[in-house]
Amino acid sequence: MKQGYTLIFALAWRNLWRNPRRTIVILFAIVLGAWAMIVMAAYSRGMSQQVFNNAIDNLLGHIQIHAPGYLEDPVIDRVLDTQQPALKTALLAPEIQHTAARVRVPAVVASERDSQGVTLLGIDPAAEADMSFIRKSVTLGKYFEGNQDGGIILGKKLVERLETSLGRRVVLMTQNSQNKIADRGFRIVGIFDTMIDAQETSYAFITLGTAQQMLDLGTNVSEIAVKLSHADHTDKILGGLRAGLPGLDVKPWYTLDALTKLFQDTWEGSAFVWYLIVFLAMGFGIVNTILMAVFERTREFGLFQALGLKPNFILLQVWLESLLLLTTGLAIGNLVSWLTVLATGDGIDVSAFSQGMEMVKLSKIIPFVLTTDDLVVANAVVLILGLLTCLYPAWRAARLVPAHAITRV
Amino acid sequence: MTAVVSCTNIKKIYKQGTIDVVALAGVDLTVEQGDFVCLSGPSGSGKTTLLNIIGGLDMPSAGEISVAGNMLHTMSKAQLAEMRLQHVGFVFQAYNLIPVLTAQENVEMVMQMQGVSKRERGRRARQVLKEVGLEGMENRKPPELSGGQQQRVAVARAIVSNPKLVLADEPTANLDSKTAENLIDLMRHMNSEHGVTFVISTHDPRVMLHAKRNLKMEDGRLV
Amino acid sequence: MDTTLRLAWRNLWRNPRRTLLTMCAIGFGAVLLIFSIGLQLGQYDMMIGSNVRIYQGLLQIQRDGYRADPKMRTSIPDILNLAQKVRLGTGFQQVSARANGFALVSSAKRTYATAVIGVEAANEPRVSTLPGLVKQGHYLSSNHANEVVIGAALAKNLQVSLGDELTLLGAARDGAVAAAVLPITGIFESGNADLDRSMVQIPIETFQETFGMEGHGHSVVIFEEDFKKVTQYQQRIEQALGPHPGLVVLTWDQLQPGLKEMIDLDYSAGWFMYVVLVAIITFSILNTFLMSVLERTREFGIMLALGYKPFNIGRLVMLEALILTLFALMIGIALGVAVNTYFYYHGLTFEGMEEMAKLYNLPAYIKPQMSIKAVLSGPALILIFTLLAALYPAMRIRLLSPVEAMRKI
């Protein structure tokens, strides 16, 4: 049989182009299918990554450390001390890229015109700069200059609601550690603009130093956010931190933000379902086309058998023909998809749906992201299922009885 | 002289709906090495069925058959294919060639499956094509050849691997008389020069004229 | 026509395997589209439904500009009378007035900033499912009772239980301090902690007194069961209001453009996929149509020689395609409706859905929508595409010359 491979290959390739129109029509179906799979995958992957990155940047980080009970009841009493030696050692792991300590409590911001409930964040300006969205989103005024900066940074939308502006004063009220209302005036030194209304109206930023002083916290903080060099290290570092900090509550991003995790999981599943559906749609056409090609060559297969070629030879020949058809279609499909992704540049503009995108934590531009994994899975689905499906026509061809096949006119 | 083909009481019964059609009603036939046998008889007398059974393309309903020492009625499909590949060449009435392969590739095909080296099979294919008078047409595909030329390629393919036996089913039926004469000459030549054994089914008196042995079939029997 | 029809029918069954495979492709497409579209529309119904039901209502009457910038001063005078006017003028019974404010809510131990909603005690349960979710105590008893109802998550954070007193401290409509001390009579639990933490409800007249509203309120909420008639309802309400300068009647999608846009985006993405899918199926079956014409070239030659016009033969070919498609679609529709009916009564749920449902306040299963639109829009798309595909081979017949055609095998 080994000697026959070049022969089988030549036969398969030439037979594929025996009826070029038919082959081109079915190639269209395969190319369109591959394109639909890959482009849809790139679109969803882009969306999924954006949701993930936005979530991580939105003060989440990969891991957060809190005092026990804080997450259910986020009040000023539940704090942890940044100066404890165990914490300092635990945070030395090489995969940990950035850490940021924060005071995070509910508060009310009031201007002379209106007041609004917010989450007050006391942040370390230097540490937070690489941690979350805040530094790069300050579009008016400026980011904090040092840990003792006495200003406040508010979102653009919140500033509008409060009918105030940069440079004016607002009053911040919150419960301090003695369970008394602490209030203090702040000058608005910066305004951040993330284009996401919910983000812009829910946070008020002051420096960590000011917050600790205002709330009598000393060196205590509400949370420490940890950003890793790569999200894949999450579980490993999580284990290390939990072992090193038995008295603290260490949680990964996927527990803190179950929705983002769910979104990613759902995406993985639905992408695969989409591949299968697209494959089914073209599968009927592929089988029908190959069957047609087999039945019009009935006598030829009889002849092969008469010449002493085994049924397996015929099976392999038809199968290889299917393989060539599939790989040709996939090659073009991949190329077209790649060009499509190139052509869309930064991504597709969905600003017409911007408020809807906001609800699912997406920006106005969704980038197409092609990953090797997605490409491999999409191509593998077509190839493997395609070859399995084409076993049927190949088997039909091999099963033809030579005497009948050859004498049939 | 050894027997290339030996059939003992071969029967073949087809089921057509609920009716049994008797195609062969007990045939005894022995063909010696170097023979040139002509089977004639009216349509439906069983010529093609007999050839198919000798070639291992079809199984007898009863009886024993051996070809080149192989007991065909005991063999599997794959073994039969191997037997055909090694020992039997076929020439059919029409549709003899693989349309996507050139004349030379058609001739080389069987040798390729037998594992003959590329150089050797190229040499032999060109040589046999020259012998059948098709020099210079090695790279043409079947649609670019006339009917007679196609049948010559078929003969070339049938004999190129030195089979013990060549079976031809009405090889001249679709040819004009001049071309038919040429083809018969070619087969006679192969028989006398190379000792190839031929069993030919035909209506054509010109073929019968050249046969060493003429057998007649009627209603599934040799008469 | 009768003979043409019979001829077309018989021609279809000349190659039963091919016809069946083609019908499978079309039928499969129809089932898939009916299922997906039904599910998609069902999911939207569910999202809209739960959003509308839980709190928002199907329509709201507000002061113009209030939605974009909800200020306490942007209020409607004599809100209770307005609600009554709507009830009498339209005959709608599910109508309730609300007033919205903001306050620091304090227990003995804790303080939280949250929204305070003044509601009509008797009418609120008709427009919102939240009052029905009171798990401890009871809902508000009258419009002027000294009572407050809060969410379970907020109760936990404030460390209060039924009967405890809450102090509300906020800004009144005229800017003065608004303060009230109210006992907790009910605790609702929706399953969504964010929602449960987002507001407290008090009787509307108590609210008006506390916040210096002088009979003003912010919205009249209207609920009706048939969401599809929302624009009709809107007109009816506007008629009942008579001339109403400064007031707007907003539908659910105007109240929450984000939800509407999210649905629109998802719907567009869905239709993109459906069209691609149907195009793939079309390419898959184009070969069958082509084959069935090409293999009958000789036959068509004879028909032409007998005096048939190319138009007649083209019509025959189109008729064959139409019969095949309609036949397959009927089976597909029957199966699709069967599948959807099953899930309509049993509900469809998948892994992770429960968590998602909780976060978004949705039921834990989806019911496919059972409407003419949901069932027929997919098959209609397939019909259009397949007939377009049949047009090509039918047109080719015009190119035939009888003599050449008859010479073909």
Side-chain angles (χ1 to χ4, degrees), chain C residues 98-394:
Chain C
R98 282 184 194 149
N100 310 323
F102 172 79
L104 282 174
V105 177
S106 308
S107 64
K109 295 178 185 150
R110 294 285 176 75
T111 301
Y112 262 85
T114 148
V116 179
I117 315 294
V119 296
E120 287 189 79
N123 287 314
E124 183 69 15
R126 300 182 176 182
V127 298
S128 157
T129 53
L130 216 48
L133 296 170
V134 169
K135 302 278 164 69
Q136 295 175 49
H138 58 84
Y139 195 62
L140 305 170
S141 58
S142 76
N143 278 356
H144 48 77
N146 259 0
E147 291 169 346
V148 62
V149 171
I150 73 170
L154 187 61
K156 194 175 161 200
N157 288 352
L158 289 171
Q159 301 185 344
V160 288
S161 52
L162 215 56
D164 289 351
E165 283 190 335
L166 289 184
T167 307
L168 273 54
L169 191 66
R173 187 163 169 271
D174 56 7
V177 173
V181 179
L182 302 169
I184 300 168
T185 56
I187 295 178
F188 63 84
E189 195 173 351
S190 69
N192 177 341
D194 284 340
L195 180 73
D196 288 356
R197 210 175 276 152
S198 67
M199 68 172 108
V200 303
Q201 295 194 350
I202 64 175
I204 189 157
E205 285 174 22
T206 312
F207 183 99
Q208 287 169 333
E209 220 167 279
T210 309
F211 288 86
M213 297 297 289
E214 294 171 343
H216 284 238
H218 295 103
S219 58
V220 174
V221 183
I222 299 111
F223 180 79
E224 275 297 314
E225 198 55 54
D226 196 349
F227 296 178
K228 288 193 190 65
K229 291 191 181 146
V230 66
T231 39
Q232 251 169 280
Y233 298 151
Q234 191 181 26
Q235 283 165 5
R236 240 161 103 184
I237 295 164
E238 279 177 348
Q239 271 169 13
L241 289 178
H244 50 278
L247 293 187
V248 285
V249 182
L250 300 173
T251 54
W252 69 267
D253 50 326
Q254 294 166 320
L255 288 164
Q256 225 174 348
L259 181 65
K260 171 83 172 130
E261 281 177 11
M262 192 163 84
I263 288 173
D264 286 348
L265 176 68
D266 195 66
Y267 203 49
S268 325
W271 273 95
F272 169 77
M273 297 201 290
Y274 301 147
V275 170
V276 168
L277 208 61
V278 173
I280 294 169
I281 293 175
T282 308
F283 276 115
S284 295
I285 60 181
L286 178 58
N287 262 342
T288 318
F289 289 165
L290 260 177
M291 258 341 254
S292 76
V293 169
L294 292 179
E295 73 186 6
R296 280 187 284 162
T297 304
R298 190 188 156 87
E299 193 177 315
F300 292 150
I302 295 169
M303 289 170 86
L304 285 172
L306 290 175
Y308 269 80
K309 295 189 187 66
F311 170 77
N312 299 118
I313 302 177
R315 199 178 59 178
L316 176 70
V317 170
M318 288 297 287
L319 196 63
E320 287 175 28
L322 185 70
I323 294 175
L324 183 142
T325 309
L326 285 181
F327 205 74
L329 284 181
M330 278 189 318
I331 297 170
I333 290 172
L335 280 174
V337 168
V339 170
N340 282 12
T341 310
Y342 175 85
F343 285 117
Y344 184 79
Y345 288 108
H346 293 85
L348 178 74
T349 185
F350 52 86
E351 209 185 325
M353 176 122 175
E354 216 166 310
E355 303 160 52
M356 181 114 83
K358 227 176 183 178
L359 283 157
Y360 278 133
N361 257 317
L362 303 174
Y365 57 89
I366 310 177
K367 272 185 187 179
Q369 193 188 82
M370 301 285 277
S371 65
I372 301 282
K373 181 183 166 195
V375 171
L376 290 188
S377 47
L381 186 71
I382 296 177
L383 186 65
I384 294 167
F385 269 74
T386 43
L387 289 185
L388 281 178
L391 213 52
Y392 170 61

Side-chain angles (χ1 to χ4, degrees), chain C residues 6-24:
Chain C
R6 200 178 306 146
L7 193 58
W9 177 253
R10 290 197 186 150
N11 279 335
L12 275 183
W13 298 105
R14 274 159 77 161
N15 192 333
R17 175 178 21 228
R18 188 168 66 199
T19 301
L20 283 174
L21 262 174
T22 310
M23 284 175 51
C24 276

Side-chain angles (χ1 to χ4, degrees), chain A residues 64-72 77-81 84-87 90 221-222 224 238-251:
Chain A
Q64 291 189 358
I65 306 168
H66 299 101
Y70 172 86
L71 285 171
E72 289 72 43
D77 306 346
R78 306 190 193 273
V79 286
L80 58 108
D81 186 2
Q84 49 186 306
L87 185 64
V221 297
S222 313
I224 294 175
L238 184 71
L241 289 177
R242 278 183 176 160
L245 304 167
L248 294 175
D249 183 14
V250 185
K251 288 240 156 68

Side-chain angles (χ1 to χ4, degrees), chain A residues 163 175 179 292 355, chain C residues 71 109-110 261 265 291:
Chain A
E163 295 177 54
Q175 199 174 21
N179 198 22
M292 268 184 234
Q355 294 196 47
Chain C
K71 292 232 183 309
K109 295 178 185 150
R110 294 285 176 75
E261 281 177 11
L265 176 68
M291 258 341 254

Side-chain angles (χ1 to χ4, degrees), chain A residues 1 3-4 6-7 11 14-15 18 299-300 303-310 313 399 402-404 406-407, chain B residues 48 52 57-58 78 81-82 84-85 90 92 95-102 105 109-110 112-113 115 157:
Chain A
M1 205 66 185
Q3 309 82 15
T6 46
L7 178 65
L11 281 169
R14 288 184 205 172
N15 277 323
R18 215 155 133 177
R299 287 198 294 180
E300 200 172 310
L303 182 61
F304 275 119
Q305 299 210 19
L307 292 174
L309 303 184
K310 295 184 186 63
F313 176 91
R399 215 187 56 146
H404 299 171
I406 193 104
T407 45
Chain B
T48 301
N52 282 345
L57 292 177
D58 212 345
E82 185 64 23
R84 287 196 294 272
L85 181 68
F90 274 97
F92 296 101
Y95 210 90
N96 256 314
L97 304 177
I98 305 299
V100 293
L101 298 179
T102 63
E105 285 170 331
M109 197 173 75
V110 172
Q112 197 169 351
M113 294 313 293
R157 185 189 55 201

